[in-house]
Amino acid sequence: MFLSTALTTLPERETQMAYAAITSLMGTLHLHFLQSQPRFPLPHKQEIVSLHENLGFLQEILEKSEIAYDDAGAMKDLEAQIKDVSFKAEEMIEMELSSIYLQSSSIEACSLLRLHGIFNQALKQTDYLKTKIISEKQLAKGSSQVERIADVSLLARIRQRRLHLGSTSSQPDLELENIKMSKFSKSTSTFDSRMVGCDEEFETILDQLTRQSVKHLQVVSIVGMGGIGKTTLARKVYEDPSITSHFYMRVWATVSQEYNVKQMLRCLIGCVIAASRDEHPQQSNVLKEQRNPKEKLAERLRKLLKEQRYLIVIDDIWSTSAWDSVQRCFPDDNTGSRILMTSRLRKVAEYASSGNSPLKMCLLDMVQSWNLYCKVFGKTEFPFGLEQIGRYIVKKCEGLPLAIIVVASLLSKMEKEEKWMNVAKNVSRSVIGGSNDACLRILSLSYNQLPHHLKACFLYFGIFPEDYEIRVNNLVRLWAAEGFLGAVKHQNPEEVAMEWLQDLVDRSLVIVSKQRYNGEMKTIRIHDLLRDFCLRETRRENLLNVIEKLPFYKRISQNLFSKPCRWISYRPGSFLWLDNQIKSNCFHKSHSLHSSAVHFRDMKHLFSHFKLLRVLDIEIVFGEGHDNALNVLANLVHLRYLALSTSEDAFTFDVKLFEHWNMQSFIVRSCAGILDCSQASQI
């Protein structure tokens, strides 16, 4: 059952998670065997120390690697092998530890012997990889001069084709040398703070929303492709002083493609209550609303809006049925109330609009595109060579604001002109096919250029539903529990996680939704297209399985989900499908399960298959006879993060069940309140 020394080459795409695999395995070794007082004092500790050192060496090689993914097939193969070896070794170690943890008597000699065999084989394989990767790096040095010449050739073509449209710089050409770039301004590190152009559209919407001559309820719609700036324009209108003074009440609700009527109504009610300032929504009130039928929720919302002059923003609506399910909740009392809607689909916008033609957002022209690019940098003047490269890249983004923002944020992190040239080459290859596909390819450039330690952190956003507001405190704990953070000298994991999250924000890959009074991030989200990219990439890497009653990937055959994956996210009504997958041993190696509803009767059957879970975040539906429903979770000995939610007023369980060594975060949410323990010792 041990790993064979011979290494096989994995599919080319599964290469980006090598660093995360190493970090996770190193954390597991340290947690169980390498602390000052290890849990399992093994007789062959030096073997584990040597393995840990090998992994540290490979991790450092990956951190310093500057070989472009598109030009280094050998390096990609090695990374795939590193990922495979690390994940398999960790899986086998943790499976053996599960048996040891659950043994009622002393540790059996055969268990220690099996662990010794796993360590011995992993050490041999990492020795092989260490030697192999050093030789590949030496070969790469010999080809660096050729790549440099190719970059100069591309720059010459850019100049010859005069793609620096509108450039009036008289500076001489710069030699290819290291040029220090100004750091990206954190004050402009959210999408919503930037908008270029759209002045005419902005004034048109303001006029339609505040026109005094029209007293009856009207719907105003903004339509356009993903990433074009619909939400940014709507947000600018929503926060304009003329709007805040005109309407008595303003409410913002995001619908998304996977909408839930009750959830939409609860969100609207909560926002209306908060906006009225008459009543503050408490966690217990929100959870109690879950038990109200849709009809009662709709009637309550209608009463709250009665006789008010309100503005409701319904962002990112995808279907006419979603509009039909909420439109009767908005009373028309001839008070001048308005609804502002954004959608990618013109037929939805036309269906809901009150006789007005939907406002169609257009792609930016070259001047507007360059202005947006400069706004990301916070300056308008660049060295001549960098300006030419920048204008070439901007032109290739074809006027899509999201693509321009992400690529500009990527460039602002780079200090060498040759790296800018590499981006220029890849942008040229990326902009092919449909608009959304082209944007996703451009976004992939930013992902490929992420430091290795950020890649798993970014892809993890795929576990959250579309347009979900993510609490930063919870995300930090999830990253730690998944083993992404590793150990950084003189810094605690929370500080490390906040620095990494800020880096993703600075790269315009994450949007700050809410801030605390001291300016710290409170909640965050990611753009729909970026989430689509995360889902696509995690599918390629065989990391995430999103399971729904109606699968999100309708065009993808279900046999792509036949392999074990690390993370699972499933929605209400999908348990039967999940049950079938469990029977095929699809998820027995999974580390993370996020579910919006699990019935207590299914607990024992479901969790008996998840031996290696580190993260469990579920909403439990209780019923009669549920007293011992949670006992099965006590066998999840690798659990580090446990979050339980229920709409019940109260439920009981034995807290001591979860007082094992590995627990880091334990959260219970119910109508009675929230129990939140960030360390197992606090439970």
Side-chain angles (χ1 to χ4, degrees):
M1 163 144 200
F2 300 138
L3 298 170
S4 61
T5 305
L7 296 173
T8 57
T9 302
L10 292 179
E12 188 178 53
R13 287 174 172 174
E14 298 184 15
T15 61
Q16 303 279 348
M17 293 294 290
Y19 186 93
I22 289 175
T23 303
S24 183
L25 177 54
M26 291 177 70
T28 296
L29 295 176
H30 182 267
L31 179 65
H32 296 286
F33 308 106
L34 298 179
Q35 299 188 69
S36 56
Q37 293 183 330
R39 299 172 184 177
F40 300 108
L42 299 178
H44 305 285
K45 183 177 179 179
Q46 185 55 46
E47 194 172 55
I48 305 173
V49 172
S50 298
L51 174 58
H52 195 273
E53 289 175 352
N54 276 3
L55 293 169
F57 174 84
L58 296 175
Q59 186 182 53
E60 185 177 1
I61 289 292
L62 291 175
E63 285 176 342
K64 295 180 178 180
S65 174
E66 295 184 356
I67 300 177
Y69 280 102
D70 290 337
D71 301 318
M75 192 68 178
K76 292 172 73 174
D77 289 342
L78 279 171
E79 287 196 37
Q81 292 168 357
I82 291 171
K83 170 190 166 185
D84 188 41
V85 167
S86 300
F87 276 160
K88 283 188 177 180
E90 184 175 49
E91 172 203 329
M92 295 175 71
I93 291 169
E94 290 191 328
M95 290 294 285
E96 200 59 52
L97 288 175
S98 295
S99 300
I100 294 173
Y101 266 121
L102 297 175
Q103 285 176 11
S104 56
S105 58
S106 59
I107 301 175
E108 297 179 2
C110 60
S111 296
L112 299 180
L113 185 61
R114 284 193 294 268
L115 278 174
H116 171 66
I118 295 168
F119 294 137
N120 184 50
Q121 288 295 86
L123 181 59
K124 289 180 180 179
Q125 290 190 315
T126 52
D127 279 337
Y128 169 83
L129 289 169
K130 183 177 175 180
T131 303
K132 183 82 171 175
I133 204 167
I134 290 173
S135 64
E136 291 293 343
K137 293 288 285 184
Q138 290 174 343
L139 288 173
K141 288 181 180 178
S143 62
S144 61
Q145 185 63 33
V146 176
E147 293 175 359
R148 189 179 180 88
I149 293 171
D151 286 346
V152 173
S153 176
L154 175 63
L155 181 59
R157 290 201 306 274
I158 292 173
R159 289 169 179 163
Q160 289 171 2
R161 290 161 62 182
R162 306 185 64 83
L163 292 177
H164 53 289
L165 301 176
S167 174
T168 57
S169 173
S170 58
Q171 299 180 43
D173 289 0
L174 297 175
E175 296 296 326
L176 289 177
E177 59 184 8
N178 293 352
I179 300 175
K180 295 290 183 182
M181 298 301 301
S182 61
K183 291 296 181 183
F184 180 43
S185 172
K186 292 184 180 180
S187 63
T188 60
S189 60
T190 63
F191 293 122
D192 296 340
S193 64
R194 313 186 196 116
M195 192 174 79
V196 170
C198 300
D199 293 337
E200 184 177 338
E201 292 88 343
F202 175 75
E203 294 297 333
T204 298
I205 294 172
L206 278 186
D207 178 64
Q208 291 181 357
L209 294 180
T210 60
R211 192 179 300 160
Q212 297 289 341
S213 59
V214 181
K215 296 295 184 183
H216 64 271
L217 177 65
Q218 280 203 320
V219 179
V220 178
S221 299
I222 305 172
V223 68
M225 66 178 289
I228 203 166
K230 301 182 297 296
T231 300
T232 303
L233 176 58
R235 178 66 68 178
K236 183 177 180 181
V237 170
Y238 183 78
E239 296 176 349
D240 189 80
S242 65
I243 293 295
T244 58
S245 62
H246 182 76
F247 293 98
Y248 304 147
M249 185 180 296
R250 295 176 305 129
V251 176
W252 185 289
T254 303
V255 179
S256 302
Q257 190 171 8
E258 304 166 40
Y259 75 94
N260 177 287
V261 177
K262 286 185 68 173
Q263 186 176 340
M264 287 167 55
L265 294 173
R266 288 197 303 269
C267 173
L268 287 166
I269 289 171
C271 292
V272 169
I273 291 174
S276 67
R277 301 175 186 245
D278 294 332
E279 185 183 342
H280 296 285
Q282 301 295 325
Q283 176 73 17
S284 59
N285 292 334
V286 173
L287 287 169
K288 285 178 181 178
E289 291 287 3
Q290 294 180 6
R291 290 177 289 182
N292 286 337
K294 290 183 290 187
E295 293 73 17
K296 285 189 176 181
L297 291 172
E299 184 58 30
R300 186 178 180 204
L301 177 58
R302 187 173 181 84
K303 287 180 178 179
L304 287 170
L305 294 174
K306 193 72 174 170
E307 304 298 336
Q308 300 282 344
R309 183 194 295 162
Y310 58 83
L311 170 64
I312 307 285
V313 177
I314 300 180
D315 185 34
D316 196 23
I317 188 167
W318 282 76
S319 68
T320 57
S321 59
W323 171 244
D324 288 338
S325 64
V326 295
Q327 67 164 326
R328 65 186 183 87
C329 303
F330 306 130
D332 185 1
D333 300 315
N334 290 319
T335 56
S337 295
R338 298 288 186 269
I339 294 172
L340 178 60
M341 177 185 296
T342 73
S343 179
R344 298 187 193 183
L345 306 176
R346 186 173 185 86
K347 67 175 184 178
V348 176
E350 290 176 339
Y351 180 83
S353 292
S354 306
N356 299 315
S357 296
L359 189 148
K360 186 178 186 303
M361 294 195 68
C362 300
L363 295 168
L364 302 179
D365 60 27
M366 189 58 196
V367 173
Q368 293 169 331
S369 297
W370 180 251
N371 289 341
L372 178 58
Y373 175 89
C374 293
K375 196 170 183 179
V376 173
F377 277 89
K379 62 181 184 180
T380 58
E381 295 184 359
F382 302 86
F384 183 65
L386 293 185
E387 179 173 337
Q388 289 185 309
I389 299 171
R391 288 185 179 275
Y392 175 81
I393 291 171
V394 167
K395 184 171 189 269
K396 289 297 182 180
C397 289
E398 298 186 342
L400 188 64
L402 177 63
I404 295 168
I405 289 170
V406 171
V407 173
S409 300
L410 165 65
L411 294 173
S412 71
K413 291 283 186 179
M414 295 180 171
E415 297 180 349
K416 296 180 180 180
E417 187 171 339
E418 62 191 72
K419 290 188 175 182
W420 282 48
M421 294 303 303
N422 188 51
V423 173
K425 286 191 296 184
N426 284 287
V427 167
S428 299
R429 299 170 187 166
S430 296
V431 186
I432 55 175
S435 298
N436 276 3
D437 286 342
C439 184
L440 285 173
R441 292 188 184 95
I442 290 174
L443 299 180
S444 71
L445 297 179
S446 194
Y447 169 73
N448 286 337
Q449 294 289 342
L450 280 176
H452 284 277
H453 62 268
L454 290 182
K455 287 180 177 176
C457 296
F458 175 64
L459 292 183
Y460 200 69
F461 284 99
I463 70 168
F464 299 105
E466 187 179 0
D467 295 315
Y468 185 79
E469 291 235 345
I470 305 159
R471 295 184 64 85
V472 170
N473 287 346
N474 287 350
L475 180 66
V476 168
R477 296 177 188 179
L478 287 168
W479 281 356
E482 292 285 1
F484 297 159
L485 301 181
V488 179
K489 291 181 179 179
H490 313 302
Q491 278 188 296
N492 63 46
E494 183 178 357
E495 290 174 342
V496 174
M498 292 306 295
E499 287 184 5
W500 291 6
L501 180 57
Q502 184 63 57
D503 197 353
L504 290 173
V505 171
D506 292 347
R507 294 171 184 270
S508 297
L509 296 175
V510 173
I511 305 168
V512 178
S513 299
K514 296 177 184 176
Q515 293 180 310
R516 301 184 185 279
Y517 68 92
N518 60 358
E520 293 180 352
M521 291 178 281
K522 183 177 181 180
T523 64
I524 55 175
R525 60 186 177 89
I526 65 170
H527 192 279
D528 291 352
L529 283 180
L530 287 166
R531 178 177 178 270
D532 289 346
F533 173 81
C534 289
L535 293 174
R536 181 178 296 189
E537 195 66 24
T538 50
R539 187 175 72 244
R540 288 177 179 173
E541 294 278 351
N542 202 39
L543 289 171
L544 172 63
N545 206 335
V546 178
I547 308 165
E548 296 163 307
K549 191 173 183 180
L550 293 175
F552 181 80
Y553 305 109
K554 295 178 181 178
R555 63 185 182 276
I556 303 297
S557 61
Q558 292 185 353
N559 61 9
L560 286 179
F561 300 129
S562 60
K563 296 181 181 179
C565 61
R566 302 280 286 190
W567 314 324
I568 304 169
S569 177
Y570 79 92
R571 309 284 186 257
S574 58
F575 177 75
L576 291 177
W577 193 86
L578 177 63
D579 188 43
N580 291 332
Q581 295 299 310
I582 287 174
K583 291 176 182 177
S584 66
N585 291 323
C586 187
F587 301 138
H588 66 285
K589 300 178 183 179
S590 299
H591 279 200
S592 176
L593 175 62
H594 304 257
S595 170
S596 54
V598 174
H599 199 279
F600 81 98
R601 288 194 301 266
D602 301 322
M603 297 278 286
K604 185 175 181 179
H605 170 67
L606 181 62
F607 293 111
S608 63
H609 295 271
F610 290 87
K611 303 293 187 183
L612 304 183
L613 274 187
R614 297 179 178 182
V615 170
L616 180 59
D617 189 346
I618 58 173
E619 179 184 337
I620 305 174
V621 180
F622 284 114
E624 292 184 6
H626 68 262
D627 294 346
N628 299 319
L630 297 181
N631 289 8
V632 67
L633 301 183
N635 292 330
L636 303 177
V637 295
H638 296 289
L639 208 56
R640 303 177 185 180
Y641 178 102
L642 175 60
L644 304 173
S645 302
T646 179
S647 57
E648 299 291 315
D649 292 321
F651 68 100
T652 59
F653 57 91
D654 186 357
V655 176
K656 292 184 179 180
L657 290 171
F658 310 109
E659 287 184 330
H660 48 68
W661 287 327
N662 295 321
M663 189 68 74
Q664 298 171 359
S665 300
F666 185 32
I667 304 167
V668 179
R669 309 181 189 95
S670 72
C671 292
I674 301 177
L675 169 67
D676 188 343
C677 300
S678 60
Q679 298 295 332
S681 60
Q682 295 177 294
I683 298 176

